[in-house]
Amino acid sequence: DFFFRDMWLVGHSLSTLIVTGECPYDDAQIAQILTGFSLSLCRACKEVDGFVAGTFDRDAAFRAAIGEEK
């Protein structure tokens, strides 16, 4: 449910830009945005303990993601 909710938010945001004529992205860029977000969100849901529940340590998760130590 978490994955699909967040993907819906991204899809809805892009759709709003398209419908209002304000979308600066072409079809290839939109596909890349959706694929990148989908993969990132899927990996976070599977690999970051507590991500879906919102109980993870955000600072530690970002440090780990960019390869920085505390």
Side-chain angles (χ1 to χ4, degrees), residues 12-67:
H12 186 270
S13 298
L14 288 167
S15 298
T16 299
L17 289 172
I18 293 166
V19 168
T20 61
E22 299 295 323
C23 188
Y25 311 113
D26 62 27
D27 289 348
Q29 290 171 311
I30 291 170
Q32 187 176 20
I33 290 166
L34 290 171
T35 300
F37 194 89
S38 177
L39 178 59
S40 298
L41 185 58
C42 185
R43 289 189 75 176
C45 288
K46 290 180 171 240
E47 297 176 10
V48 178
D49 290 334
F51 184 79
V52 174
T55 59
F56 67 103
D57 181 337
R58 287 164 176 77
D59 291 334
F62 277 101
R63 281 193 305 273
I66 62 173

